[in-house]
Amino acid sequence: MAKVEKKLIANNKKARHDYFLEECFEAGVELCGTEVKSLRMGKCSIKEAFVRIENGEVLVYGMHISPYEKGNIFNRDPLRPKKLLMHKAEIRKLTGKIAEKGYTLVPVEVYFKGSLVKVEIALARGKKLYDKRHDIAKKDMRREAERDFKIKNL
């Protein structure tokens, strides 16, 4: 079977900053035609998005897909909740994990896998302020080391 290429549409950097991402899941998205056309143009944002499980269905809220410019009455509300398509066993597993204290679901990235739109959601635990500071300090140290290494090799 040939490897299907993954074309990134939107990335949620804020999720990696605010949460410890424990486990990732891939889910399809139920969309209408003009939303797909808008995604092909790269008009999507998941910065403020979050995922909830309601009545055995996984829904993503706050995922903004801009209205298609050449669309007409078929354009949908850009912030409407979108249903994510997952297996029942995966949904049950996620429901059990979310019931534990401190876990939540966050969308990490939206991408095309072949011709299908997929969302990668992660089971995440919130970071405390000191965890965020520690990550920033570690990033700064790595950047300094790379800069020093680059200067030495010139």
Side-chain angles (χ1 to χ4, degrees):
M1 196 162 118
K3 188 171 191 251
V4 181
E5 192 174 318
K6 191 170 141 176
K7 182 181 171 252
L8 191 66
I9 302 168
N11 195 2
N12 191 354
K13 293 178 184 175
K14 190 176 174 187
R16 287 190 172 86
H17 181 262
D18 292 342
Y19 300 98
F20 291 114
L21 305 181
E22 309 240 329
E23 196 174 349
C24 291
F25 297 90
E26 183 179 74
V29 190
E30 192 178 272
L31 299 170
C32 65
T34 54
E35 289 176 324
V36 177
K37 289 178 181 182
S38 189
L39 284 174
R40 290 207 183 280
M41 296 170 70
K43 305 273 175 105
C44 179
S45 173
I46 56 172
K47 281 189 178 86
E48 301 296 321
F50 60 95
V51 179
R52 279 203 184 131
I53 299 176
E54 295 171 0
N55 303 327
E57 293 182 340
V58 185
L59 298 168
V60 62
Y61 293 88
M63 179 175 159
H64 187 277
I65 299 176
S66 298
Y68 185 57
E69 292 113 32
K70 297 178 183 73
N72 50 12
I73 58 167
F74 299 112
N75 277 340
R76 295 284 180 93
D77 176 30
L79 287 172
R80 76 178 177 87
K82 289 143 190 86
K83 184 177 172 184
L84 297 182
L85 309 171
M86 296 178 78
H87 293 285
K88 276 186 183 174
E90 286 179 318
I91 295 171
R92 278 195 297 268
K93 181 180 178 182
L94 288 174
T95 306
K97 284 283 193 178
I98 289 174
E100 292 178 33
K101 188 170 169 37
Y103 280 106
T104 187
L105 287 172
V106 290
V108 180
E109 54 187 33
V110 180
Y111 54 91
F112 279 108
K113 190 173 184 183
S115 63
L116 304 173
V117 178
K118 300 285 185 179
V119 174
E120 185 175 294
I121 60 173
L123 190 64
R125 223 171 3 100
K127 284 185 182 178
K128 302 279 190 257
L129 185 61
Y130 58 83
D131 291 326
K132 293 178 191 177
R133 286 185 187 141
H134 179 72
D135 283 352
I136 291 170
K138 207 163 33 170
K139 225 181 274 183
D140 288 344
M141 285 172 37
R142 193 182 77 235
R143 201 175 296 127
E144 287 289 326
E146 286 174 0
R147 192 177 299 132
D148 292 344
F149 181 75
K150 188 175 179 181
I151 290 170
K152 287 178 185 174
N153 286 340
L154 285 178

